[in-house]
């Protein structure tokens, strides 16, 4: 989770929502890193998890990430939870819960839906306070600057 928090800090420094993710293989090696790049890249799919999963797939030379763990600072949304299922990761570990858009237990539970052919293990609330603090800092800064929550 420390590596994912480092990625989130990089996103914060670049003016994007501070969410970071890493994909770790069976041996504990980080094979994919990602941070939110939606603003920087003008990419609606530029979520930290998608970026990290893409890099892991490229590095491993296949899209099946069996044996891997996706670690992310914020509970994945429906897109990212679906990507984790489709990538066949063994587990999803996340920090802060997302009561507004979380799809790993908060609003939906995509990764444990019995209708799907793959259901990763879930470990929630890891470094939850540190993950939440980065998000709170980001949005407080935007409010103090009189900026809208999201860029127009």
């Amino acid at each position: 989770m420390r590596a994912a928090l480092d990625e989130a800090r990089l996103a914060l420094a670049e003016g994007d929502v501070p969410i970071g993710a890493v994909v770790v293989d069976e041996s504990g090696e980080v094979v994919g890193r990602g941070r939110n790049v939606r603003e920087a890249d003008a990419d609606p799919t530029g979520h930290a998890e998608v970026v990290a999963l893409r890099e892991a797939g490229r590095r491993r030379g296949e899209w099946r990430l069996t044996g891997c763990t996706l670690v992310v600072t914020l509970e994945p949304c429906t897109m990212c939870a679906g990507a984790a299922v489709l990538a066949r990761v063994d587990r999803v570990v996340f920090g802060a819960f997302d009561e507004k858009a979380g799809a790993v237990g908060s609003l939906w539970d995509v990764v444990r839906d019995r209708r799907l052919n793959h259901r990763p293990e879930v470990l929630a609330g890891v470094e939850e306070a540190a993950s939440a603090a980065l998000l709170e800092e980001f949005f407080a800064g935007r409010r103090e600057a009189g900026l809208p929550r999201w860029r127009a």
Side-chain angles (χ1 to χ4, degrees), residues 22-118:
V22 294
V23 176
V24 181
D25 71 9
E26 306 91 330
S27 70
E29 179 185 349
V30 173
V31 294
R33 293 180 180 275
R35 61 183 169 274
N36 267 21
V37 293
R38 290 188 334 164
E39 299 296 335
D41 293 355
D43 179 359
T45 68
H47 289 207
E49 302 94 323
V50 171
V51 174
L53 290 167
R54 285 176 180 158
E55 181 178 300
R58 280 192 302 273
R59 286 191 62 195
R60 287 173 55 115
E62 63 177 326
W63 62 266
R64 288 176 195 84
L65 300 178
T66 305
C68 291
T69 299
L70 172 64
V71 181
V72 60
T73 58
L74 182 67
E75 178 182 0
C77 69
T78 53
M79 175 181 68
C80 295
V85 170
L86 293 172
R88 309 291 197 275
V89 297
D90 284 5
R91 72 198 49 77
V92 174
V93 176
F94 70 86
F97 288 84
D98 186 351
E99 301 298 328
K100 294 181 180 180
V104 185
S106 289
L107 285 183
W108 299 281
D109 204 349
V110 171
V111 298
R112 290 179 276 216
D113 189 318
R114 295 198 180 279
R115 296 169 292 183
L116 299 175
N117 65 338
H118 180 73

Side-chain angles (χ1 to χ4, degrees), residues 122-135:
V122 174
L123 181 57
V126 175
E127 294 286 345
E128 181 176 3
S131 297
L134 283 171
L135 291 163

